Amino acid sequence: MKIDIHRSATDRVIAGVIGGIAEHFNWNTNVTRLLFVVLAITPMFPGIIAYLILWLLMKDSIKD
């Protein structure tokens, strides 16, 4: 099962997951990363697990 959001080819730190989400929704990448980090350190949001699941579900970037 893949979702219709692609990982970023140019705006990546680890795998391009947050960059791809930011590009898909036309959000600022740094704000998206900051929001993810804040949510990841809260006890109710297992950020590392969510990141790994998204990494597996998101398609690779489209190469033109």
Side-chain angles (χ1 to χ4, degrees):
M1 180 176 121
K2 296 286 184 183
I3 55 179
D4 195 33
I5 301 175
H6 300 280
R7 287 184 273 147
S8 177
T10 57
D11 195 7
R12 57 177 42 196
V13 173
I14 297 175
V17 172
I18 303 299
I21 291 171
E23 287 176 4
H24 180 77
F25 292 109
N26 200 22
W27 294 343
N28 183 322
T29 308
N30 291 329
V31 172
T32 307
R33 285 189 181 111
L34 180 64
L35 178 64
F36 179 79
V37 167
V38 168
L39 290 174
I41 61 174
T42 60
M44 300 304 276
F45 185 79
I48 302 299
I49 296 170
Y51 188 90
L52 293 175
I53 290 171
L54 286 171
W55 186 354
L56 293 173
L57 292 178
M58 289 174 71
K59 298 176 185 175
D60 285 333
S61 61
I62 300 172
K63 299 196 171 53
D64 293 328

